[in-house]
Amino acid sequence: MKTDVKILAIESSCDETAAAVVENGRRVLSNIISSQIAIHTVYGGVVPEIASRKHLENIDEVIRRALKEADCGFEELDAIAVTYGPGLVGALLVGVAEAKALAYALDKPLIGVHHMEGHIAANYISSPDWEPPFLCLVVSGGHTHLAIVEDYGVNRILGQTKDDAAGEAFDKVARAIGLGYPGGPKIQKAAEAGNPAAIHFPRPCLEEEGYDFSFSGLKSAVLNYLNQQEMKNESVSQADVAASFQQAVVDVLTAKTMQAAKHFHIRKIAVAGGVSANAALRKAMKEACEKRGYALSIPDLVLCTDNAAMIGSAAYSLFRRGEFADLSLNAIPNLTLGVKS
Ligand code: KG4
Ligand code: ZN
């Protein structure tokens, strides 16, 4: 009897066109990512219409490559999975339409996956023995959530950002100090040459109870600092601003996560989403967890930012539970985490 489950996963929620074949939710047979970064860099950020058009141009080829690299034919697949939200609606629609067409033509089950569930599931690939329950810090360009992952795909949200997401703050501050897009990696690079203690930026929400975050005040503090320096005719060190800003974000994310772990008596911590690629955050989380004897999972770098392998992993638990979508599956740009739509 055939027991292994092979899922073709498609991800097109923002500016990466991606397809992967994942076996049993943990084994990545292929993970193809066609990045549009070079195209959007010219405009200083993602242009939604261009993203959709590029997805359309690339998606067939990306899927073909994913199947070829996995040495897998269409007939060997057990299901087709796709991100249906949250994200840019025009971008999501390309993946959703493609997945529906494939599922219909091949007569295979269709699985709709929440993008952030994918980010969380990246941990199941990078840490093969990792299982719920655990506490997860989910930090991306659109989300900052602290959640208890009670079971596969079952999340209890403890807190979230009240304004900007952590990745959004990285992107906005990068723009303000002239580093451009994509902000996160550029701040990280600039910060390597800077002093994280050079400028004291606020640590928002750290003194407050609860597990919500806020990053727009921190971003404003950076903008105020830049204005003050200009008015005083004093120079600005891009590296020091980057390092000091990054340190403030890392301090808040790490401290809130440790507070929640202590309060809820959870000794397993995971980090997920694009910002989990940040070297300073990875280091701070590692040190904080080692100090307390907590287990830590952070995805490999290629699985932190958008990819389809993570979608294939998240789809596996839905497959096992028989939670399939039908051909009415639609893109939901503002799909929330922790509430089933
Ligand atoms: O998960 P992701 O690829 O897309 C979303 O789901 O939003 O995350 C993208 C975000 C961007 O805001 C980007 O600046 C941030 O993740 N990011 C980073 C790093 N790499 C990506 N932020 C800080 N340091 C990084 N190395
Ligand atoms: Zn993402």
Side-chain angles (χ1 to χ4, degrees), residues 22-280:
V22 182
E23 195 174 74
N24 301 335
R26 301 256 181 186
R27 199 166 153 241
V28 179
L29 303 184
S30 64
N31 187 23
I32 306 296
I33 304 168
S34 167
S35 173
Q36 303 178 3
I37 285 180
I39 299 160
H40 298 288
T41 298
V42 181
Y43 304 96
V46 179
V47 183
E49 287 78 5
I50 296 178
S52 314
R53 213 174 313 143
K54 287 290 153 195
H55 285 314
L56 264 179
E57 285 172 16
N58 293 336
I59 198 155
D60 284 334
E61 180 57 20
V62 166
I63 291 172
R64 222 186 327 268
R65 281 173 56 203
L67 289 168
K68 186 161 184 276
E69 201 173 298
D71 196 18
C72 174
F74 277 124
E75 69 290 350
E76 289 172 65
L77 295 171
D78 294 285
I80 314 292
V82 64
T83 304
Y84 73 107
L88 302 169
V89 69
L92 288 163
L93 277 170
V94 176
V96 169
E98 181 85 8
K100 288 202 288 192
L102 281 175
Y104 179 69
L106 300 168
D107 196 19
K108 305 272 182 194
L110 176 68
I111 302 174
V113 177
H114 190 300
H115 180 76
M116 303 314 294
E117 289 290 357
H119 277 303
I120 296 169
N123 285 289
Y124 304 133
I125 300 172
S126 291
S127 309
D129 301 322
W130 195 260
E131 288 183 340
F134 56 88
L135 179 67
C136 191
L137 172 70
V138 189
V139 270
S140 73
H143 288 75
T144 305
H145 279 78
L146 201 49
I148 298 175
V149 178
E150 296 177 328
D151 199 349
Y152 292 96
V154 182
N155 310 308
R156 181 171 149 211
I157 307 296
L158 303 179
Q160 55 189 292
T161 183
K162 295 186 268 191
D163 39 60
D164 292 351
E168 194 178 350
F170 269 94
D171 295 336
K172 287 179 175 170
V173 167
R175 206 170 304 145
I177 59 175
L179 288 170
Y181 163 89
K186 291 203 167 163
I187 294 244
Q188 175 176 320
K189 185 90 194 64
E192 283 168 17
N195 173 7
I199 310 150
H200 183 78
F201 291 129
R203 268 64 174 156
C205 294
L206 217 50
E207 305 307 324
E208 287 172 26
E209 278 194 24
Y211 302 103
D212 282 339
F213 299 92
S214 165
F215 292 105
S216 81
L218 173 57
K219 173 198 66 194
S220 302
V222 175
L223 297 180
N224 287 343
Y225 170 81
L226 297 175
N227 282 337
Q228 279 164 13
Q229 293 301 99
E230 196 182 333
M231 279 170 32
K232 288 191 279 182
N233 238 339
E234 283 178 20
S235 66
V236 168
S237 157
Q238 213 181 36
D240 282 347
V241 176
S244 302
F245 160 77
Q246 177 177 266
Q247 193 60 52
V249 176
V250 167
D251 282 354
V252 172
L253 294 176
T254 310
K256 276 277 172 206
T257 306
M258 293 305 133
Q259 281 170 13
K262 187 173 176 201
H263 182 84
F264 292 95
H265 307 288
I266 302 175
R267 303 182 63 80
K268 279 175 77 175
I269 317 284
V271 191
V275 182
S276 64
N278 184 268

Side-chain angles (χ1 to χ4, degrees), residues 11 13-14 86 115-116 119 139-143 273-274 304-307 310:
E11 154 65 42
S13 65
C14 192
H115 180 76
M116 303 314 294
H119 277 303
V139 270
S140 73
H143 288 75
C304 287
T305 44
D306 291 349
N307 65 89
M310 67 183 197

